[in-house]
C-alpha cells in the first residue's frame, strides 16, 4: 500500500470556503466520477458554525467518492476553542468510519494510537516532529505551506525509513493565518456569533486591497489566505525526487477536475511540465500564480523554475 | 471580609540583560528571555542574550529570588535542528527555571534528553482547548500552558478545571490578531518566517514614505499597510494592524484590529479567581523605562489585591500603543 502511495498521487484538500451545501455536494460528486485523485479530504476545517450546513451530505458524498475509487479522509477543525468546536472535533475523531486528518492538538489527543493523517495547519517542520507524530499514529503528513524546498528535502530524507508518506500542497490559495475573530463578519459590521453566514458571498474568499489599490490577501472567515494561487507544477518532479509522494490541490471554483488531470499527468510522468504549465496558465483565475515559499522567497512571488 | 487570592506569579519581559535586571528590581517574580538567534520568537536585532549573558542573568535573578524562563519557542525547519538542540542543552546545563517550547520536535527532544528540565508550553503552540493542552501535557510533561489571547475569562476559568497544568495568561502589551504560531503573513510579504526565523514585520523590510500632502505611508515589503495624516499617530506596520479595502468596505478600514494594546488590569481579580497561576507582560522589544514602569505598576496592583485593597492602574494607559487599549477577547465573545 505504502509502496504504491510513494509512486506519487494527487490529492484534493478540503473545501475551505462556505459553499452552498448542494454546490458542495455536487462538486464532490463530479470529483468522485471524473477526477484522477487518490485521496479526497472532506469536512469543515475553518468554522464550526458551517459544519451543520454540509453535514447532511457527508454520507452521500463519502459513498460516491468511495465508489469512484477514492480514499476519503475527514479533515478536522483547525482552531478549536468553543464548546461547539470541541464537540465537532470529538465527533469527527471518535467516529470509526473514516481516516481523520488532524489540524490541531485536540484532534491529536483523540487520534493518539490510531492511524491518522496530520494536516497542513499543524506545525510539522522537522524530522523530530515527524518521528514523534509517527509514533502517535500518523501515516501521512501534509507539510505547512511556507516550508522551503530545502527543509522539505531534509525532512523527507529523515522520514524515508519511517512508515509515513509526505504530502505538499501544490495548487490553490495558500493559508497564511488563523484567528479567533471572524474577519468576514467584521467586514460586514457583525461578530462571529451574529455573522448570518455572510462568508457564503465569497466562494473563493474576499479580496483585501491595499490603500494603493494592490490586491494583497484573501479573507475566509477566521482564515487569511494569499491572493495569489500557489502553483508548484514546475516543482513537482523535484518534490518527487525528494520523496514527496502526495500532491495536494486546494479546491476553488475552477475546473478542479481539469486541474487534477494536469497534475496527475505530471505526477505520473505522462505530461511534460512545460505543457502542463501552459494548460494551467490558460485556466488561471483572475489572480497571479505564486511559488515563492518553495524558493525561500516571499510567498506572493513567482520564480521561474529554470532560474534555480 | 476581603477576598483571599492565591498569589500569582508576575512574569515579565527581558529583551536584554539590562532589561532583565530592571524587571527583577521592579518586582518581577519571573522574567522570560531568549537567545540571540532563530530559536525564539523575538529574534530582533539588538535583543536577547548570549550564553554567557544568560548565565550571569540567572545568577542575578536567583540571588533576588526571581525565576528565569528561556523561550525556545520557534519551529526548527528540517536541516537546522542543531541550533535548537543546542539551545535546549544550554537551558538544561545552566539550570533555567523553565523552558518555553512551541514545537513538537523540540518538546520531544527536551523531554527525552533532559527529563528534569521544566517545560512550559508556548503560546506559539496554539493550544486553545483542554484536549490540546492535555495532549501536550501527556506527551511532554508540560507543567504550564501559556494561553492564546483568544479566550474569555469565563472560558479560562472553565479550562482551569479541565487541565493538569498551570495557566499563564497575557495581561498587558502588544496584541497580535492572528493565532500565535499559525501566522505566515510576514513570510508572505518578506520571505522571513515568524515560525522558522522568529521575526514579525522585520525592520529591514519596513518602509516609511512621506507624500506631497504630508501624509505618512507605511509599507512592509511592497505592500502598503497604512497611511496617516500629519496629525495621526503612525503605528509600526504589521500586516494584522493595517488598513485595507474589500468588497464590503470601499473605505479603508482596520480589517483585523485597530492598533490597540492589551490591558487587562481591570480584570486582574477575575483572572486570579479563574485560576491563572502566572500573569504575563508582553514586550521583550520594549525599553527599560517601559519595562520598569509596567512591571512596577503591576507589582503594586498584585500586592494591593493580595492585601485586600483596590489597585490603582490608571497610569498604565499612557504606556499602551497609540494610547488606546482593549481587553481583547478576554471580556466577551462579541470580540470574535
Amino acid at each position: 500500500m505504502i509502496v504504491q502511495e510513494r509512486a506519487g498521487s494527487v490529492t484534493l484538500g478540503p473545501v475551505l470556503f462556505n459553499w452552498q451545501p448542494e454546490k458542495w455536494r455536487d462538486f464532490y460528486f463530479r470529483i468522485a466520477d471524473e477526477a484522477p485523485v487518490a485521496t479526497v479530504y472532506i469536512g469543515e476545517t475553518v468554522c464550526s458554525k458551517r459544519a451543520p450546513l454540509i453535514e447532511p451530505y457527508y454520507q452521500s458524498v463519502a459513498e460516491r467518492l468511495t465508489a469512484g475509487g477514492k480514499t476519503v479522509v475527514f479533515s478536522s477543525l483547525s482552531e478549536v476553542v468553543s464548546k461547539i468546536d470541541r464537540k465537532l472535533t470529538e465527533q469527527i475523531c471518535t467516529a470509526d468510519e473514516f481516516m481523520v486528518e488532524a489540524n490541531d492538538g485536540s484532534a491529536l489527543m483523540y487520534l493518539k494510537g490510531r492511524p491518522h493523517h496530520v494536516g497542513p495547519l499543524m506545525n510539522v517542520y522537522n524530522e523530530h516532529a515527524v518521528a514523534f507524530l509517527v509514533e502517535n499514529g500518523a501515516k501521512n503528513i501534509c507539510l505547512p505551506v511556507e516550508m522551503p524546498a530545502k527543509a522539505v528535502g531534509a525532512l523527507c530524507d529523515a522520514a524515508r525509513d519511517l512508515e509515513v508518506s509526505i504530502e505538499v500542497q501544490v495548487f490553490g490559495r495558500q493559508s497564511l493565518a488563523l484567528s479567533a475573530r471572524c474577519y468576514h463578519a467584521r467586514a460586514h459590521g457583525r461578530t462571529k456569533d451574529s455573522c448570518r453566514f455572510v462568508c457564503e458571498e465569497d466562494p473563493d474568499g474576499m479580496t483585501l486591497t491595499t490603500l494603493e489599490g494592490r490586491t494583497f490577501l484573501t479573507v475566509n472567515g477566521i482564515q487569511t489566505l494569499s491572493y495569489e494561487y500557489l502553483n508548484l507544477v514546475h516543482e513537482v518532479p523535484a518534490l518527487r525526487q525528494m520523496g514527496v509522494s502526495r500532491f495536494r490541490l486546494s479546491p476553488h471554483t475552477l475546473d478542479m477536475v481539469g486541474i487534477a488531470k494536469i497534475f496527475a499527468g505530471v505526477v505520473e510522468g505522462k505530461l511534460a511540465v512545460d505543457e502542463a504549465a501552459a494548460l494551467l496558465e490558460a485556466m488561471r483565475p483572475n489572480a497571479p500564480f505564486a511559488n515563492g515559499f518553495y524558493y525561500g522567497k516571499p510567498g506572493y512571488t513567482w520564480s521561474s523554475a529554470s532560474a534555480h | 471580609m476581603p477576598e483571599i487570592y492565591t498569589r500569582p506569579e508576575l512574569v515579565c519581559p527581558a529583551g536584554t540583560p539590562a532589561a532583565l535586571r530592571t524587571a527583577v528590581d521592579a518586582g518581577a517574580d519571573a522574567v522570560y528571555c531568549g537567545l540571540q538567534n532563530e530559536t525564539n520568537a523575538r529574534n530582533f536585532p539588538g535583543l536577547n542574550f548570549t550564553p554567557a549573558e544568560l548565565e550571569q542573568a540567572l545568577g542575578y535573578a536567583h540571588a533576588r529570588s526571581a525565576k528565569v524562563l528561556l523561550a525556545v519557542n520557534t519551529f526548527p525547519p528540517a536541516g537546522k535542528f542543531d541550533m535548537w538542540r543546542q539551545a535546549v542543552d544550554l537551558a538544561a546545563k545552566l539550570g533555567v527555571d523553565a523552558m518555553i517550547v512551541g514545537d513538537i520536535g523540540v518538546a520531544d527532544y527536551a523531554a527525552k534528553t533532559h527529563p528534569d528540565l521544566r517545560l512550559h508550553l508556548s503560546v506559539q503552540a496554539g493550544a486553545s482547548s483542554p484536549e490540546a493542552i492535555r495532549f501536550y501535557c501527556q506527551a511532554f510533561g508540560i507543567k504550564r500552558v501559556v494561553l492564546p489571547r483568544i479566550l474569555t475569562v469565563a472560558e479560562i476559568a472553565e479550562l482551569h478545571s479541565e487541565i493538569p497544568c498551570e495557566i499563564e495568561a497575557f495581561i498587558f502589551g502588544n496584541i497580535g490578531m492572528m493565532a500565535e504560531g499559525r501566522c505566515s503573513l510576514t513570510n508572505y510579504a518578506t520571505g522571513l518566517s515568524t515560525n522558522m526565523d522568529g521575526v514579525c514585520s522585520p525592520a529591514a523590510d519596513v518602509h516609511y514614505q512621506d507624500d506631497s500632502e504630508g501624509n505618512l505611508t507605511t509599507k512592509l515589503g511592497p505592500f502598503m499597510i497604512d497611511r496617516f495624516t500629519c496629525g495621526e499617530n503612525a503605528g509600526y506596520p504589521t500586516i494584522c494592524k493595517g488598513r485595507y479595502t474589500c468588497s464590503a468596505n470601499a473605505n479603508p478600514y482596520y480589517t483585523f484590529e485597530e492598533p490597540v494594546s492589551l490591558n487587562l488590569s481591570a480584570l486582574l481579580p477575575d483572572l486570579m479567581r479563574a485560576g491563572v497561576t502566572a500573569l504575563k507582560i508582553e514586550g521583550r522589544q520594549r525599553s527599560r523605562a517601559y519595562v520598569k514602569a509596567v512591571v512596577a505598576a503591576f507589582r503594586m496592583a498584585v500586592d494591593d489585591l493580595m492585601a485586600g485593597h483596590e489597585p490603582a492602574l490608571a497610569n498604565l494607559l499612557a504606556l499602551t500603543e497609540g494610547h488606546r487599549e482593549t481587553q481583547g477577547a478576554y471580556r466577551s465573545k462579541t470580540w470574535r
Side-chain angles (χ1 to χ4, degrees), chain B residues 139-151:
Chain B
F140 312 117
I142 299 287
K143 297 288 191 291
R144 178 188 292 176
V145 59
V146 186
L147 288 184
R149 282 162 267 202
I150 59 180
L151 297 163

PDB file of all heavy atoms in Angstrom, chain B residues 139-151:
ATOM      1  N   ALA B 139       2.174  14.120  26.569  1.00  0.00           N
ATOM      2  CA  ALA B 139       3.277  13.762  25.687  1.00  0.00           C
ATOM      3  C   ALA B 139       4.624  14.232  26.233  1.00  0.00           C
ATOM      4  O   ALA B 139       5.621  13.516  26.112  1.00  0.00           O
ATOM      5  CB  ALA B 139       3.039  14.344  24.298  1.00  0.00           C
ATOM      6  N   PHE B 140       4.660  15.418  26.809  1.00  0.00           N
ATOM      7  CA  PHE B 140       5.963  16.023  27.135  1.00  0.00           C
ATOM      8  C   PHE B 140       6.090  16.448  28.603  1.00  0.00           C
ATOM      9  O   PHE B 140       7.065  17.101  28.973  1.00  0.00           O
ATOM     10  CB  PHE B 140       6.222  17.247  26.236  1.00  0.00           C
ATOM     11  CG  PHE B 140       5.959  16.981  24.778  1.00  0.00           C
ATOM     12  CD1 PHE B 140       4.968  17.677  24.088  1.00  0.00           C
ATOM     13  CD2 PHE B 140       6.689  16.011  24.097  1.00  0.00           C
ATOM     14  CE1 PHE B 140       4.715  17.419  22.743  1.00  0.00           C
ATOM     15  CE2 PHE B 140       6.442  15.740  22.755  1.00  0.00           C
ATOM     16  CZ  PHE B 140       5.455  16.446  22.072  1.00  0.00           C
ATOM     17  N   GLY B 141       5.110  16.130  29.420  1.00  0.00           N
ATOM     18  CA  GLY B 141       5.181  16.525  30.820  1.00  0.00           C
ATOM     19  C   GLY B 141       5.165  18.028  31.025  1.00  0.00           C
ATOM     20  O   GLY B 141       5.832  18.559  31.921  1.00  0.00           O
ATOM     21  N   ILE B 142       4.402  18.730  30.197  1.00  0.00           N
ATOM     22  CA  ILE B 142       4.283  20.190  30.307  1.00  0.00           C
ATOM     23  C   ILE B 142       3.712  20.565  31.676  1.00  0.00           C
ATOM     24  O   ILE B 142       2.729  19.978  32.121  1.00  0.00           O
ATOM     25  CB  ILE B 142       3.351  20.730  29.188  1.00  0.00           C
ATOM     26  CG1 ILE B 142       3.910  20.411  27.796  1.00  0.00           C
ATOM     27  CG2 ILE B 142       3.053  22.206  29.386  1.00  0.00           C
ATOM     28  CD1 ILE B 142       5.106  21.209  27.379  1.00  0.00           C
ATOM     29  N   LYS B 143       4.347  21.540  32.327  1.00  0.00           N
ATOM     30  CA  LYS B 143       3.886  21.940  33.665  1.00  0.00           C
ATOM     31  C   LYS B 143       3.005  23.195  33.638  1.00  0.00           C
ATOM     32  O   LYS B 143       2.292  23.488  34.583  1.00  0.00           O
ATOM     33  CB  LYS B 143       5.101  22.229  34.557  1.00  0.00           C
ATOM     34  CG  LYS B 143       5.995  21.004  34.798  1.00  0.00           C
ATOM     35  CD  LYS B 143       5.318  20.005  35.721  1.00  0.00           C
ATOM     36  CE  LYS B 143       6.274  18.911  36.183  1.00  0.00           C
ATOM     37  NZ  LYS B 143       6.676  17.996  35.099  1.00  0.00           N
ATOM     38  N   ARG B 144       3.119  23.968  32.554  1.00  0.00           N
ATOM     39  CA  ARG B 144       2.330  25.209  32.498  1.00  0.00           C
ATOM     40  C   ARG B 144       2.045  25.529  31.034  1.00  0.00           C
ATOM     41  O   ARG B 144       2.919  25.349  30.182  1.00  0.00           O
ATOM     42  CB  ARG B 144       3.106  26.357  33.136  1.00  0.00           C
ATOM     43  CG  ARG B 144       2.378  27.697  33.073  1.00  0.00           C
ATOM     44  CD  ARG B 144       3.235  28.846  33.543  1.00  0.00           C
ATOM     45  NE  ARG B 144       3.521  28.791  34.972  1.00  0.00           N
ATOM     46  CZ  ARG B 144       4.315  29.652  35.600  1.00  0.00           C
ATOM     47  NH1 ARG B 144       4.882  30.637  34.930  1.00  0.00           N
ATOM     48  NH2 ARG B 144       4.540  29.535  36.893  1.00  0.00           N
ATOM     49  N   VAL B 145       0.841  26.012  30.768  1.00  0.00           N
ATOM     50  CA  VAL B 145       0.498  26.427  29.408  1.00  0.00           C
ATOM     51  C   VAL B 145       0.340  27.944  29.360  1.00  0.00           C
ATOM     52  O   VAL B 145      -0.263  28.539  30.255  1.00  0.00           O
ATOM     53  CB  VAL B 145      -0.795  25.727  28.915  1.00  0.00           C
ATOM     54  CG1 VAL B 145      -1.985  26.041  29.831  1.00  0.00           C
ATOM     55  CG2 VAL B 145      -1.126  26.130  27.480  1.00  0.00           C
ATOM     56  N   VAL B 146       0.941  28.556  28.359  1.00  0.00           N
ATOM     57  CA  VAL B 146       0.712  29.978  28.108  1.00  0.00           C
ATOM     58  C   VAL B 146      -0.459  30.048  27.134  1.00  0.00           C
ATOM     59  O   VAL B 146      -0.356  29.594  25.995  1.00  0.00           O
ATOM     60  CB  VAL B 146       1.951  30.663  27.509  1.00  0.00           C
ATOM     61  CG1 VAL B 146       1.719  32.169  27.395  1.00  0.00           C
ATOM     62  CG2 VAL B 146       3.185  30.380  28.352  1.00  0.00           C
ATOM     63  N   LEU B 147      -1.554  30.611  27.596  1.00  0.00           N
ATOM     64  CA  LEU B 147      -2.777  30.557  26.794  1.00  0.00           C
ATOM     65  C   LEU B 147      -2.765  31.557  25.641  1.00  0.00           C
ATOM     66  O   LEU B 147      -2.293  32.686  25.790  1.00  0.00           O
ATOM     67  CB  LEU B 147      -3.988  30.858  27.668  1.00  0.00           C
ATOM     68  CG  LEU B 147      -4.408  29.787  28.657  1.00  0.00           C
ATOM     69  CD1 LEU B 147      -5.677  30.226  29.358  1.00  0.00           C
ATOM     70  CD2 LEU B 147      -4.618  28.447  27.970  1.00  0.00           C
ATOM     71  N   PRO B 148      -3.313  31.136  24.490  1.00  0.00           N
ATOM     72  CA  PRO B 148      -3.521  32.094  23.399  1.00  0.00           C
ATOM     73  C   PRO B 148      -4.442  33.224  23.882  1.00  0.00           C
ATOM     74  O   PRO B 148      -5.295  33.007  24.739  1.00  0.00           O
ATOM     75  CB  PRO B 148      -4.223  31.278  22.326  1.00  0.00           C
ATOM     76  CG  PRO B 148      -4.004  29.855  22.677  1.00  0.00           C
ATOM     77  CD  PRO B 148      -3.804  29.798  24.158  1.00  0.00           C
ATOM     78  N   ARG B 149      -4.249  34.399  23.268  1.00  0.00           N
ATOM     79  CA  ARG B 149      -5.028  35.564  23.708  1.00  0.00           C
ATOM     80  C   ARG B 149      -6.411  35.583  23.064  1.00  0.00           C
ATOM     81  O   ARG B 149      -6.866  36.608  22.589  1.00  0.00           O
ATOM     82  CB  ARG B 149      -4.269  36.840  23.339  1.00  0.00           C
ATOM     83  CG  ARG B 149      -3.141  37.136  24.269  1.00  0.00           C
ATOM     84  CD  ARG B 149      -2.161  38.094  23.668  1.00  0.00           C
ATOM     85  NE  ARG B 149      -1.090  37.358  23.000  1.00  0.00           N
ATOM     86  CZ  ARG B 149       0.109  37.849  22.735  1.00  0.00           C
ATOM     87  NH1 ARG B 149       0.380  39.083  23.045  1.00  0.00           N
ATOM     88  NH2 ARG B 149       1.020  37.110  22.150  1.00  0.00           N
ATOM     89  N   ILE B 150      -7.047  34.432  22.989  1.00  0.00           N
ATOM     90  CA  ILE B 150      -8.321  34.363  22.274  1.00  0.00           C
ATOM     91  C   ILE B 150      -9.434  33.837  23.155  1.00  0.00           C
ATOM     92  O   ILE B 150     -10.549  33.658  22.703  1.00  0.00           O
ATOM     93  CB  ILE B 150      -8.202  33.467  21.017  1.00  0.00           C
ATOM     94  CG1 ILE B 150      -7.773  32.058  21.381  1.00  0.00           C
ATOM     95  CG2 ILE B 150      -7.237  34.084  20.026  1.00  0.00           C
ATOM     96  CD1 ILE B 150      -7.650  31.127  20.179  1.00  0.00           C
ATOM     97  N   LEU B 151      -9.153  33.607  24.427  1.00  0.00           N
ATOM     98  CA  LEU B 151     -10.166  33.029  25.307  1.00  0.00           C
ATOM     99  C   LEU B 151     -10.774  34.102  26.202  1.00  0.00           C
ATOM    100  O   LEU B 151     -10.103  35.064  26.583  1.00  0.00           O
ATOM    101  CB  LEU B 151      -9.532  31.946  26.182  1.00  0.00           C
ATOM    102  CG  LEU B 151      -8.955  30.738  25.437  1.00  0.00           C
ATOM    103  CD1 LEU B 151      -8.007  29.968  26.343  1.00  0.00           C
ATOM    104  CD2 LEU B 151     -10.059  29.840  24.937  1.00  0.00           C
TER     105      LEU B 151
END
